[in-house]
DNA sequence: TTGGGG
């Protein structure tokens, strides 16, 4: 047939990448192994854009960046890093002193995608056009690339870079890349926007509250608590790893196309590229910007393996389990009688399957309620007071709520009754409005606990304390679960 | 055209 004949005669000539990159302003054909691939996203123009880095044996560091513009339903959808892509009629350009290739089907570009594994067939799993050719020449190139790739792990080419950060090192000053696992995708948020929750096994550094955000209510602890709008229901948290900060990423613009929105799946490892972050109500949030991208990562890549190995190590080590920004060895102005008990994260406390349990935690006390030490003690209800013999003497009891924080969550806990008397060491519950000396002593303790400083924002120190969980209603133990401090003293 | 480690 004439068409077949034509193909054989006009067999495509494929450039090695090292040869292609010097053909600036020319259209070339080449094969490459996909070393990085970022999901398609919309542009200000009509097309979508997806980007990738391709390598071959002639050009493997840093590889060739490829930009492909096309309608959403004509985008290359790379299954996994290491797959092979073939481009026809792709335009070579130079940008910022580096070569790049621009593909656009409107100007003749086409592609096929196939597995990069030795022994797999030669049938593309995706092709931009129904007519395409795979000839003996193509099979030879594919074989060569597959053989070479089998001894050259892809992530040694394009895995890490100077922008890569771990969650423990993020700050609001700069943009960065993150290799992380998607733990949860919340699609219930605003129209066409989802919040994804990511994790890499490390802990964010303690963040200061933005002073501008304060003063929304007279209960700072409640303000911190309500920031949990980005935090998640306990049932969702139950599926999370017990250590490491879960970082919300907002807002996440979802690219729509014929095959539905490209929403990453919980459980996927991804490389977030060029994201930012901010601090809201003292919690870090990743920000997915217009210029941010989601890159695919194979679970077998080195970066992912490193995260998982480090996490397993943290799990098994009493020291590594501690918050990563807590001084080592930990120093605590609070003393417990249970220092031999394993330290639990607040996520473990919140998700523990038994409603009633005891824990030891390493936390920071972010707020108290009441805020004024003067109100820490309240009159005992008469029914439980000493009796009607001494009504004017009126027994008092401590009733305080602390807002605790660690890298995994926040928790409201109560300090009540004898536990509070033990806690404050030497200051029994009294009518504080009649006891100025006690008020002064308590205030000094609380200020130390909250890290109040003359200059600048508070910076609460890490302290260890014992928590007990209980319920208010036997019929609904999970719904009425509460926490209180016990077995913890604040001497001095 | 679009966007490009900005």
């Amino acid at each position: 047939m004439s068409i077949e004949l034509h193909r054989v005669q006009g067999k495509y000539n494929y450039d090695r990448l090292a040869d292609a990159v010097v053909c600036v302003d020319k259209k070339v054909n080449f094969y490459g192994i996909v070393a990085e691939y970022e999901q398609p996203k919309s542009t200000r123009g009509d097309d979508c854009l997806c980007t990738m880095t391709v390598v071959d044996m002639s050009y493997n560091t840093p590889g060739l960046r490829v930009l492909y513009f096309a309608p959403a339903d004509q985008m290359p959808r790379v299954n996994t890093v290491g797959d092979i892509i073939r481009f026809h009629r792709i335009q070579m350009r130079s940008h910022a002193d580096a070569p790049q290739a621009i593909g656009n089907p409107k100007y003749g570009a086409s592609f096929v995608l196939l597995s990069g594994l030795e022994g797999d067939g030669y049938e593309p799993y995706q092709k931009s056009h129904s007519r395409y050719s795979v000839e003996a020449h193509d099979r030879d190139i594919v074989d060569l690339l597959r053989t070479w790739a089998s001894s050259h792990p892809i992530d040694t080419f394009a895995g890490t870079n100077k922008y890569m950060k771990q969650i423990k090192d993020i700050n609001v000053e700069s943009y960065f890349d993150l290799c992380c696992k998607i733990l949860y995708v919340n699609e219930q948020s605003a129209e066409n926007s989802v919040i994804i929750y990511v994790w890499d096994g490390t802990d964010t550094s303690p963040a200061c509250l933005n002073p501008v955000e304060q003063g929304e209510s007279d209960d700072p602890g409640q303000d911190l608590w309500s920031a949990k709008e980005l935090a998640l229901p306990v049932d969702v948290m139950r599926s999370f790893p017990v250590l490491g900060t879960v970082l919300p990423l907002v807002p996440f613009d979802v690219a729509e196309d014929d095959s539905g929105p490209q929403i990453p799946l919980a459980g996927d490892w991804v490389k977030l590229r060029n994201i930012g972050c901010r601090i809201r109500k003292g919690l870090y949030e990743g920000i997915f910007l217009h210029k941010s991208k989601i890159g695919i990562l194979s679970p077998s890549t080195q970066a992912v393996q490193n995260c998982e190995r480090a996490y397993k190590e943290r799990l098994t080590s009493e020291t590594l389990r501690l918050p990563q920004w807590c001084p080592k060895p930990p120093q605590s102005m609070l003393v417990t009688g249970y220092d031999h008990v394993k330290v639990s994260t607040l996520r473990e406390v919140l998700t523990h399957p038994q409603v009633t349990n005891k824990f030891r935690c390493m936390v920071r006390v972010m707020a108290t309620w009441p805020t004024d030490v003067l109100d820490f003690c309240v009159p005992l209800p008469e029914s439980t007071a000493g009796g009607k013999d001494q009504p004017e003497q009126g027994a008092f009891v401590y009733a305080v709520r602390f807002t605790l924080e660690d890298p995994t969550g926040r928790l409201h806990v109560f300090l009540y009754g004898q536990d509070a008397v033990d806690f404050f060491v030497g200051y029994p519950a009294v009518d504080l409005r009649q006891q100025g000396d006690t008020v002064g002593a308590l205030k000094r303790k609380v200020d130390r606990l909250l890290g109040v400083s003359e200059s600048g924002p508070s910076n609460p120190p890490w302290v260890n304390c014992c928590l007990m969980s209980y319920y208010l209603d036997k019929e609904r133990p999970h719904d009425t679960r509460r926490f209180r401090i016990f077995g913890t003293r604040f001497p001095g």
Side-chain angles (χ1 to χ4, degrees), chain A residues 117-406:
Chain A
L117 293 178
E118 281 182 300
D120 280 356
Y122 303 98
E123 186 65 26
Y125 68 77
Q126 191 195 353
K127 50 194 188 277
S128 59
H129 296 75
S130 53
R131 278 179 45 207
Y132 69 99
S133 63
V134 176
E135 300 168 23
H137 181 50
D138 293 271
R139 290 192 282 273
D140 290 344
I141 296 174
V142 170
D143 283 341
L144 273 173
L145 287 171
R146 285 175 173 171
T147 302
W148 177 73
S150 70
S151 57
H152 294 78
I154 284 305
D155 57 352
T156 62
F157 306 132
T160 58
N161 60 54
K162 62 177 173 170
Y163 304 102
M164 194 68 92
K165 277 198 163 117
Q166 291 182 292
I167 285 177
K168 73 181 170 65
D169 295 314
I170 66 173
N171 61 66
V172 296
E173 309 301 324
S174 60
Y175 303 122
F176 50 88
D177 293 357
L178 216 53
C179 163
C180 54
K181 187 179 191 176
I182 294 176
L183 294 186
Y184 184 64
V185 179
N186 187 353
E187 301 175 53
Q188 317 312 329
S189 49
E191 180 81 13
N192 210 31
S193 150
V194 297
I195 300 176
I196 67 177
Y197 295 79
V198 302
W199 169 94
D200 71 0
T202 67
D203 298 334
T204 47
S205 63
C208 290
L209 283 171
N210 181 350
V212 179
E213 291 180 280
Q214 290 176 343
E216 289 176 24
S217 90
D218 59 356
D219 182 350
Q222 197 58 43
D223 282 347
L224 295 172
W225 189 248
S226 63
K228 283 164 25 80
E229 63 206 293
L230 281 180
L232 291 158
V234 168
D235 282 342
V236 172
M237 287 177 56
R238 242 182 264 285
S239 66
F240 292 175
V242 296
L243 303 179
T245 300
V246 175
L247 186 73
L249 186 66
V250 301
F252 183 73
D253 290 321
V254 175
E256 295 278 356
D257 70 20
D258 288 355
S259 57
Q262 288 287 296
I263 300 176
L265 298 173
D268 285 352
W269 283 88
V270 293
K271 178 173 162 186
L272 299 174
R273 189 172 156 122
N274 206 31
I275 63 168
C277 71
R278 65 183 176 201
I279 295 167
R280 297 252 294 213
K281 309 250 188 194
L283 295 176
Y284 278 95
E285 294 172 12
I287 311 175
F288 201 83
L289 306 150
H290 181 69
K291 306 219 169 195
S292 305
K293 295 188 181 73
I294 290 198
I296 58 174
L297 279 180
S298 156
S300 65
T301 58
Q302 202 60 53
V304 173
Q305 296 286 311
N306 289 347
C307 286
E308 293 190 323
R309 190 182 323 113
Y311 177 64
K312 285 203 186 83
E313 196 185 347
R314 277 197 82 184
L315 275 182
T316 57
S317 158
E318 201 54 34
T319 303
L320 295 176
R321 279 184 68 94
L322 293 170
Q324 288 176 312
W325 290 87
C326 164
K328 311 281 165 44
Q331 297 179 330
S332 171
M333 57 180 68
L334 302 186
V335 179
T336 80
Y338 304 87
D339 285 351
H340 56 288
V341 174
K342 186 190 82 157
V343 167
S344 300
T345 63
L346 291 183
R347 188 178 300 134
E348 287 177 291
V349 172
L350 277 162
T351 60
H352 197 276
Q354 289 167 268
V355 172
T356 58
N357 206 57
K358 292 176 179 175
F359 309 88
R360 186 167 73 96
C361 296
M362 185 63 69
V363 297
R364 301 192 308 145
V365 180
M366 307 306 292
T368 68
W369 182 257
T371 50
D372 193 340
V373 168
L374 202 57
D375 302 318
F376 271 20
C377 292
V378 297
L380 257 186
E382 273 187 34
S383 56
T384 54
K388 288 177 185 146
D389 310 340
Q390 346 150 297
E392 62 280 290
Q393 218 159 328
F396 279 76
V397 64
Y398 280 102
V400 185
R401 187 198 69 205
F402 287 168
T403 304
L404 306 184
E405 177 182 307
D406 81 357

Side-chain angles (χ1 to χ4, degrees), chain A residues 26-100:
Chain A
K26 294 199 180 76
K27 282 184 181 173
V28 298
N29 310 316
F30 60 69
Y31 272 88
I33 297 169
V34 180
E36 295 181 298
Y37 170 80
E38 292 87 35
Q39 303 277 10
K41 45 183 282 178
S42 55
T43 66
R44 286 205 300 271
D46 299 329
D47 291 325
C48 285
L49 166 67
C50 90
T51 51
M52 66 186 85
T53 303
V54 297
V55 300
D56 71 3
M57 48 285 261
S58 75
Y59 198 77
N60 61 37
T61 43
L64 173 64
R65 287 296 284 171
V66 178
L67 285 70
Y68 198 86
F69 293 95
D73 60 348
Q74 295 176 45
M75 282 282 127
R77 305 277 179 181
V78 174
N79 280 346
T80 180
V81 160
D83 288 349
I84 293 173
I85 194 162
R86 180 186 83 184
F87 288 106
H88 284 173
R89 293 171 296 273
I90 191 165
Q91 176 95 37
M92 297 307 298
R93 294 252 286 268
S94 175
H95 175 74
D97 293 327
Q100 63 177 200

